[in-house]
Each structure stands twice: as structure tokens, then as C-alpha cells.
């Protein structure tokens, strides 16, 4: 029974893709509106059944769907794994995925590519499920590459716009850089352990000593894959450009699921990572730099989706910071709550964009809370959550990461603390400029201001409920909670016995003090932003922002894209031009053309034999026969 359920869960979205993809030019929209979200809902309901069944039995299982390939010592089965970590991810992918599909029915209703959109979204969910359900690294890698492909298709969904096509290509290429590291890591895993199956690798790795060079190499290579997929420094620049896709794409792929694949992969490989302190230091350094760097860029962005994109990069930095100190449950907890409130923020932004006819500049908005009450209240809940205001979900998950960071290093805590203050500032700046003050758009936009239809606001309300109460799944002991999520995930992380730092070195008194300091500082930042942007009405218009060198530098995203263009793209283009002229045209083309010219010249010579004289043809034929007989006699 369980094997049938776990097989059907990814098959439903695959069926949706095949059905919608085969008839996307002819299927009525009514059928598409049911099939697209319906297949994801079916997968979610089956996942719930599987989850409750696991709660009763509590035994992780590997389900062999079929024997896939055997090449020498490499035997790979198409296997799915049911354990607490995979079930948690499956619930997020299908649950949040369904709400976003449902929302998309209203958001995309007037788009000519409506049917194609849902086909690609269903395909994405299929590959994401493969990624989190696979029982070996090869199945994970298939899903890993599949979500990269779907990301390319959905970012460039409006392909008639060349800028959007360029954004899609940028995402695809930068992900391939990371994927090469992942692939090399898989090769080294097989060379070292003779298998790609999670269970076999982890059993063989557990007795190893921490710090072995081969383990450092494996984990660093796998982490390179995570850097690309989860948009960490230096491979983060594709994610802000990916906002070229429709807003539901941003919510599903670039907030709730795909970009968290790297976090899931590291958490799944926890036994390997605790055996490599060097990799944990590297991962922690990259995570801290990413968290603070992306948050600083978000401070002065004006595109509503770009602000959320940089926020996503920063929050992913928090997750990797938690992973780097062995706080695997904290990372997965924040991944879960982030899926709720960031999906809500993106969909709320989509509701605003929908009401303003495509406008994304927050300086041209304002006063929308009166016309869009449902969007306003749900967006407020998500903003409070991501800022870490209790008792919303983001408070509990972010506090857990901060406490583990302090337990590891005061400097790590301080950097993440500054990032939390930046998060509160840029998110409330976005909130004030969008929903407060006078409306700063055009008269045409003013006349068409309206709340989004129910098909869009109901998913917002459901996500707001998850955002408000999702933190209660892992209430820490300091609040009298049982840390249910930590207990649920404990078997997955039980083998990480070489954790380099204790996680219980913080007293309750210190934890209360740190929590209070963080909360007071965040509230002070929110109050100051309200005074600045609402009371004094600063920052509403472009000419009201005082700029200096630092502000201009941050506003231009530290010119990282321009730097990459200068030191990577242009040299490669120059090198390819030189190789094209010298190697391709000057050498290879000359050889190929020489053979072509030889054939042409030979043909031009031999064509003179074709005289059209029948007597001449008979003479040649007889001469040929005589030569054949003569050669036969000689031989």
C-alpha cells in the first residue's frame, strides 16, 4: 500500500504535465484550471496519508520502484525514501505548491500561455519531488537537474522579451557551474564508497575520522552544487534576475522549493558534513557573507520582487549558517517557516502588481491598504514573521538559528543579528511605501485599484494562517514547548556524532537576554522606519532619497554583475572570438572546405566523360570489360 502511495505522489504532477503539455494549444481553460492545481492537490493528500502512516509506524523505508541500471560495480535502483526529512519536504512541495497553483488560476487567467504555464509548473513539482524523495544521490541529481530545466523554462516564460530570455539563460548557466561540482562530488562518492545509495554511504562513513581529505573534497564539491542552486556567494546573481518570470513562479521556485534544494541536500548529507570541519568553516563563512551582503542590497532596491529576491538570498544564508554549526533541525525549521511567509510575500506582491496593471516600483504605489484589505493584512503578517516578531513563525525559527550561532561564536551571532535588523528595515520600508501614504501611481491605475479575486486571496489567507501558527511546530523548551519538529527529525540527524561544537552551552537566562535584545532592536528599527517613511514621508519619491557614495554603491548591487561581465564574460567572449577566427575558420574550416573543393574539382573533371554520345559510352563499357578480363588473367 505504501509503495503504491509513494509511487503515485510524483506520478500525479507528471501526468498533469503530459496531459497539459500534449494539448496545451487546444485544451479549454476550465479543464486546465482543474487539472493543473488538482494534480498537486492529489499528491498533497497522498503525502498526508503517507505522513500519518509514518507517524503510526515510525520506521524509515526504502521503496524499490524498479531496478534501473547496472554498470560493473554500480547498481542503481529507482528507489524512493520515506523518512521524516523527505516527508517534511514533500509536504512543503505539495502543500505550498498547491496553494501557489490555486493562486495562479486567477493571476494568469488572461495570459495567452495559460495552458503552457501549468504544464511547466506541474513538471517542476514532479522533478522537485524526485529530488526530495530519492533514496540515492543519482535520483536526487535527476530532480536537481530537472528543477534547473523547469526554472529556465519558467523564468523565460514570456520569451518574446529578450531580457527575460537572457535572465533564463543566466540562471541556467550559473546553475550548471554548481551542478558540475555536485556531479564531481557524486563521482568521488562512488569512488570512495562504491555506492550512491544514502544508506550504504552513511553506514560506511560513520566510522571514519573527522577531517579526512577525501571527506573534505566530497563535501566541498557537494557544497558547490548547493551554492549554485541556493544562490549563495558567488553564484547568487541569477536569482534577482529570475524575477523576470511570472510572480507565482517566484513564489514556488525561488522562495519555497527549488532554492532550498541545497539546504535539503546538506541536511540529508549531515553525516558527511560533520566529518569535515573545514567544509563547515567554508560553508559558515559563505553563509554569513551572503546573509549580510544580500540584506544590504535589499535596503535600497525599489522593485518589489527584487527586494523579496535579495531577502530570499539572505534568508538562505541564515539556513546555511545553521547547517555550518550542526543546527540541522534549526535550518530545516527556518526552511519550513520561510516557505510559508516568503511564498505569502511573493503572492501578496503579485496581488499588488495585478491590481496596478504590472507596476513593480514601490515608489509608484502607496495607500493600497484601503483598496486591498486582504492583501494588506496577509502581507503585514508575513512581514512581521520574516522580521522575527513573536509569536509568528519566523520568530521561533530565526531565534533558534541565532542561539545556535551564539553557542558557536559571538561574531557569528552578531553578523546574523545585524542581518536581522536589516531584514526588519527593508521589509517594513517595502510595507510602508506600498500600503501607506498617498497613492503615487497614475490616474488610470488609481481608477482600477481593486482587491484581487477570491481565487487569489484565499491562498493568501491560508498561507497567512500557516505563517502565524507554523512556529508552534517547534516551540523550544524555554517557552515550555516540546520541540516537536526536532523530535520528528531526530532520527535523521542521530548519526551526526562528530559534531564539533555543543548545542547546549547557552543557559536559559542568556537565551532570554539575547532574545530580548534582538526583539527590542528589531522593534526599534521598525519604529524608526515608520517615523521616517510614514510620519516624515521620506523615501516616497526618487528625489527624496539623499544619496552618497555608499548608498549609490549598494543601490547598484556593488556592481557585481558588471564585475562578472568584465572579468569573466568579456574575456571568455574575446577568447571564443580568437578561437573561432584561428582554430575554427583558419584551420578546421580550411580542412573541411579543402575536402569539399576536392570533391567539386573531381566532379568537374569527371563530368567531361558525360558526353551524351552513345557510341562513346559503348566504347568505355567494352574497354572496361577488357580491363577486367586482363586483370583477372594477371591475378
Amino acid at each position: 500500500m505504501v509503495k503504491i502511495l509513494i509511487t503515485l505522489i510524483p506520478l500525479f504532477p507528471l501526468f498533469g504535465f503530459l496531459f497539459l503539455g500534449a494539448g496545451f494549444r487546444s485544451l479549454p481553460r476550465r479543464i486546465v484550471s482543474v487539472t493543473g492545481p488538482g494534480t498537486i492537490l492529489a499528491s498533497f493528500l497522498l503525502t498526508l496519508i503517507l505522513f500519518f502512516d509514518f507517524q503510526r509506524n515510525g520506521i524509515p523505508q526504502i521503496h524499490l520502484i524498479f531496478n534501473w541500471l547496472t554498470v560493473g560495480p554500480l547498481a542503481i535502483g529507482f528507489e524512493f525514501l520515506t523518512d521524516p526529512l523527505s516527508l517534511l519536504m514533500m509536504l512543503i512541495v505539495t502543500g505550498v505548491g498547491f496553494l501557489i497553483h490555486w493562486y495562479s488560476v486567477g493571476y494568469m487567467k488572461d495570459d495567452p500561455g495559460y495552458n503552457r504555464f501549468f504544464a511547466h509548473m506541474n513538471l517542476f513539482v514532479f522533478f522537485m519531488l524526485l529530488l526530495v524523495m530519492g533514496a540515492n544521490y543519482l535520483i536526487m541529481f535527476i530532480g536537481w537537474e530537472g528543477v534547473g530545466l523547469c526554472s529556465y523554462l519558467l523564468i523565460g516564460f514570456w520569451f518574446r522579451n529578450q531580457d527575460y530570455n537572457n535572465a533564463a539563460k543566466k540562471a541556467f548557466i550559473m546553475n550548471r557551474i554548481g551542478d558540475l561540482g555536485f556531479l564531481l562530488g557524486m563521482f568521488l562518492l562512488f569512488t570512495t564508497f562504491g555506492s550512491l545509495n544514502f544508506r550504504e554511504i552513511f553506514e560506511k562513513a560513520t566510522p571514519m575520522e573527522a577531517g579526512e581529505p577525501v571527506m573534505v573534497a566530497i563535501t566541498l564539491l557537494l557544497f558547490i552544487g548547493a551554492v549554485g542552486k541556493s544562490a549563495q556567494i558567488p553564484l547568487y546573481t541569477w536569482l534577482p534576475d529570475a524575477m523576470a518570470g511570472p510572480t507565482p513562479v517566484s513564489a514556488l521556485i525561488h522562495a519555497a522549493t527549488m532554492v532550498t534544494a541545497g539546504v535539503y541536500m546538506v541536511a540529508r548529507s549531515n553525516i558527511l558534513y560533520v566529518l569535515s570541519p573545514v567544509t563547515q568553516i567554508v560553508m559558515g563563512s559563505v553563509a554569513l557573507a551572503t546573509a549580510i551582503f544580500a540584506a544590504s542590497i535589499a535596503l535600497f532596491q525599489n522593485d518589489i520582487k527584487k527586494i523579496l529576491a535579495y531577502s530570499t538570498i539572505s534568508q538562505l544564508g541564515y539556513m546555511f549558517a545553521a547547517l555550518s554549526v550542526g543546527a540541522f533541525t534549526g535550518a530545516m525549521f527556518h526552511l519550513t517557516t520561510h516557505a510559508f511567509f516568503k511564498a505569502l510575500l511573493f503572492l501578496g506582491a503579485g496581488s499588488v502588481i495585478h491590481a496596478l496593471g504590472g507596476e513593480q516600483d514601490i515608489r509608484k504605489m502607496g495607500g493600497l491598504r484601503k483598496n486591498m484589505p486582504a492583501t494588506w493584512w496577509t502581507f503585514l503578517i508575513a512581514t512581521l514573521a520574516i522580521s522575527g516578531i513573536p509569536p509568528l513563525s519566523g520568530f521561533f525559527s530565526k531565534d533558534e538559528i541565532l542561539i545556535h550561532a551564539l553557542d558557536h561564536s559571538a561574531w557569528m551571532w552578531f553578523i546574523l543579528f545585524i542581518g536581522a535588523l536589516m531584514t526588519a528595515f527593508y521589509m517594513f520600508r517595502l510595507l510602508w511605501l506600498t500600503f501607506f501614504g498617498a497613492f503615487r501611481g497614475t490616474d488610470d491605475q488609481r481608477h482600477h485599484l481593486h482587491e484581487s479575486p477570491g481565487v487569489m486571496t484565499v491562498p493568501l489567507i491560508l498561507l497567512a494562517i500557516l505563517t502565524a501558527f507554523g512556529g508552534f511546530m517547534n516551540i523550544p523548551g524555554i517557552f515550555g514547548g516540546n520541540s516537536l519538529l526536532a523530535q520528528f527529525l531526530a532520527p535523521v540527524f542521530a548519526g551526526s556524532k562528530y559534531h564539533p561544537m555543543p548545542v547546549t552551552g547557552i543557559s536559559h537566562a542568556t537565551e532570554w537576554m539575547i532574545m530580548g535584545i534582538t526583539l527590542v532592536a528589531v522593534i526599534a528599527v521598525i519604529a524608526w522606519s515608520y517615523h521616517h517613511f510614514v510620519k516624515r514621508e521620506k523615501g516616497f519619491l526618487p528625489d527624496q532619497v539623499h544619496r552618497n557614495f555608499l548608498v549609490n554603491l549598494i543601490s547598484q548591487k556593488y556592481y557585481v554583475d558588471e564585475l562578472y561581465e568584465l572579468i569573466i564574460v568579456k574575456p571568455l567572449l574575446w577568447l571564443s572570438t580568437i578561437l573561432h577566427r584561428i582554430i575554427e575558420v583558419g584551420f578546421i574550416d580550411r580542412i573541411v572546405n579543402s575536402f569539399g573543393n576536392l570533391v567539386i574539382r573531381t566532379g568537374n573533371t569527371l563530368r567531361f566523360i558525360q558526353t551524351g554520345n552513345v557510341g562513346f559510352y559503348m566504347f568505355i563499357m567494352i574497354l572496361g570489360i577488357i580491363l577486367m578480363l586482363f586483370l583477372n588473367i594477371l591475378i
Side-chain angles (χ1 to χ4, degrees):
M1 177 65 179
V2 173
K3 183 177 179 179
I4 295 174
L5 284 178
I6 201 170
T7 305
L8 288 175
I9 288 170
L11 282 182
F12 271 113
L14 178 61
F15 164 77
F17 162 71
L18 295 174
F19 177 72
L20 298 175
F24 78 92
R25 296 186 184 277
S26 56
L27 285 174
R29 293 201 172 195
R30 189 177 304 171
I31 294 177
V32 177
S33 301
V34 173
T35 305
T39 55
I40 312 303
L41 176 60
S43 293
F44 174 65
L45 295 176
L46 293 180
T47 303
L48 280 178
I49 295 173
L50 198 64
F51 172 77
F52 289 121
D53 179 76
F54 182 84
Q55 288 287 78
R56 287 193 299 270
N57 300 323
I59 303 174
Q61 296 182 43
I62 294 177
H63 307 274
L64 177 64
I65 308 304
F66 56 86
N67 291 314
W68 187 15
L69 57 89
T70 302
V71 181
L74 177 63
I76 299 292
F78 205 91
E79 299 172 324
F80 290 148
L81 171 65
T82 54
D83 74 344
L85 187 59
S86 63
L87 285 169
L88 176 65
M89 291 299 296
M90 289 161 65
L91 287 170
I92 294 172
V93 171
T94 57
V96 177
F98 165 66
L99 293 177
I100 295 172
H101 276 71
W102 183 6
Y103 173 96
S104 301
V105 172
Y107 188 85
M108 300 294 293
K109 68 175 183 178
D110 296 322
D111 196 284
Y114 185 81
N115 298 12
R116 177 168 54 89
F117 173 83
F118 278 102
H120 290 165
M121 291 281 276
N122 274 201
L123 181 63
F124 169 81
V125 173
F126 165 72
F127 278 122
M128 191 67 201
L129 286 171
L130 283 188
L131 192 156
V132 301
M133 294 171 64
N136 56 66
Y137 281 100
L138 189 56
I139 303 296
M140 179 188 284
F141 187 70
I142 293 172
W144 192 276
E145 291 297 294
V147 295
L149 168 65
C150 294
S151 177
Y152 168 78
L153 294 172
L154 288 165
I155 293 170
F157 179 76
W158 290 313
F159 56 85
R160 298 187 186 278
N161 187 318
Q162 188 56 42
D163 290 338
Y164 295 174
N165 290 335
N166 292 338
K169 288 187 289 185
K170 183 177 181 179
F172 192 79
I173 292 169
M174 295 194 78
N175 271 271
R176 297 292 74 71
I177 297 170
D179 295 351
L180 176 60
F182 192 109
L183 189 61
L184 293 175
M186 287 173 54
F187 291 157
L188 194 52
L189 277 169
F190 178 72
T191 302
T192 306
F193 299 105
S195 174
L196 290 176
N197 293 323
F198 295 147
R199 179 175 293 177
E200 294 181 34
I201 290 174
F202 299 156
E203 286 177 354
K204 293 178 180 178
T206 300
M208 297 176 68
E209 293 296 325
E212 291 193 19
V214 66
M215 198 56 63
V216 174
I218 288 171
T219 51
L220 281 176
L221 287 170
L222 293 178
F223 179 60
I224 290 172
V227 166
K229 194 67 69 183
S230 296
Q232 299 294 283
I233 290 175
L235 301 179
Y236 73 93
T237 57
W238 67 268
L239 184 58
D241 288 0
M243 297 303 106
T247 303
V249 172
S250 304
L252 178 65
I253 295 181
H254 307 123
T257 53
M258 186 187 106
V259 292
T260 61
V263 179
Y264 166 76
M265 184 272 291
V266 174
R268 172 62 70 192
S269 309
N270 62 89
I271 291 176
L272 305 181
Y273 277 89
V274 296
L275 291 172
S276 178
V278 173
T279 304
Q280 289 185 305
I281 292 172
V282 172
M283 181 161 57
S285 302
V286 170
L288 292 176
T290 303
I292 205 77
F293 188 79
S296 67
I297 295 176
L299 294 174
F300 299 106
Q301 295 299 302
N302 295 311
D303 185 306
I304 188 170
K305 290 175 65 177
K306 289 285 182 72
I307 297 172
L308 297 179
Y310 282 107
S311 173
T312 298
I313 298 170
S314 179
Q315 296 303 308
L316 288 166
Y318 275 81
M319 298 175 208
F320 279 106
L323 293 172
S324 72
V325 297
F328 300 109
T329 298
M332 293 307 301
F333 186 25
H334 197 55
L335 183 153
T336 304
T337 61
H338 180 265
F340 298 154
F341 58 68
K342 188 52 67 67
L344 177 55
L345 286 169
F346 268 112
L347 296 187
S351 181
V352 171
I353 295 168
H354 181 266
L356 295 177
E359 181 60 64
Q360 295 184 197
D361 192 332
I362 59 176
R363 296 169 299 180
K364 299 177 182 178
M365 300 177 185
L368 299 183
R369 72 185 191 280
K370 300 174 184 177
N371 303 94
M372 308 180 68
T375 302
W376 148 246
W377 283 109
T378 54
F379 203 94
L380 174 63
I381 291 171
T383 303
L384 291 169
I386 195 174
S387 300
I389 301 299
L392 304 175
S393 58
F395 165 76
F396 293 106
S397 60
K398 190 173 289 188
D399 176 69
E400 183 168 342
I401 293 175
L402 288 171
I403 292 299
H404 279 87
L406 179 63
D407 190 48
H408 180 75
S409 164
W411 277 107
M412 175 177 275
W413 172 84
F414 181 73
I415 292 172
L416 294 178
F417 169 74
I418 295 300
L421 300 186
M422 288 184 176
T423 300
F425 179 82
Y426 67 66
M427 284 308 307
F428 273 90
R429 171 178 177 264
L430 167 60
L431 186 80
W432 305 140
L433 294 184
T434 303
F435 293 99
F436 280 74
F439 181 68
R440 300 177 297 279
T442 64
D443 290 335
D444 184 59
Q445 290 173 333
R446 186 194 307 274
H447 294 318
H448 290 87
L449 280 177
H450 62 283
E451 182 60 273
S452 298
V455 72
M456 294 171 63
T457 55
V458 172
L460 293 180
I461 294 170
L462 294 176
L463 282 170
I465 294 171
L466 291 172
T467 298
F469 299 104
F472 294 108
M473 73 175 73
N474 201 51
I475 299 178
I478 192 174
F479 291 109
N482 296 319
S483 300
L484 296 177
L485 183 64
Q487 294 179 22
F488 180 65
L489 294 176
V492 180
F493 306 132
S496 303
K497 63 179 182 179
Y498 282 103
H499 189 281
M501 293 290 292
V503 295
T504 57
I506 301 294
S507 66
H508 283 342
T510 303
E511 189 171 349
W512 277 112
M513 181 182 68
I514 294 301
M515 195 182 303
I517 291 172
T518 305
L519 184 58
V520 169
V522 167
I523 292 175
V525 168
I526 295 172
W528 183 84
S529 68
Y530 178 80
H531 177 74
H532 183 76
F533 293 110
V534 179
K535 290 295 185 180
R536 298 177 61 193
E537 296 189 355
K538 296 290 186 181
F540 284 135
L541 300 176
D543 57 359
Q544 290 180 315
V545 180
H546 175 69
R547 290 182 176 271
N548 54 40
F549 171 77
L550 183 59
V551 172
N552 283 322
L553 179 65
I554 299 174
S555 299
Q556 296 302 318
K557 300 164 286 187
Y558 297 98
Y559 295 97
V560 173
D561 282 301
E562 290 79 2
L563 182 63
Y564 286 176
E565 180 81 16
L566 180 64
I567 67 174
I568 297 176
V569 177
K570 287 186 177 180
L572 285 176
L573 289 176
W574 176 83
L575 180 61
S576 64
T577 301
I578 297 299
L579 292 176
H580 173 261
R581 290 176 180 174
I582 297 176
I583 305 298
E584 181 73 21
V585 177
F587 182 68
I588 297 176
D589 278 4
R590 283 189 178 182
I591 294 175
V592 174
N593 292 337
S594 297
F595 280 104
N597 291 332
L598 178 62
V599 172
I600 292 173
R601 289 175 182 176
T602 304
N604 287 335
T605 302
L606 293 176
R607 71 184 177 84
F608 290 110
I609 298 176
Q610 303 293 329
T611 64
N613 190 320
V614 176
F616 178 74
Y617 293 158
M618 292 181 66
F619 170 73
I620 293 297
M621 182 179 68
I622 294 170
L623 180 63
I625 293 172
I626 293 172
L627 287 172
M628 291 173 63
L629 292 173
F630 180 71
L631 290 172
N632 187 50
I633 293 170
L634 290 177
I635 296 174

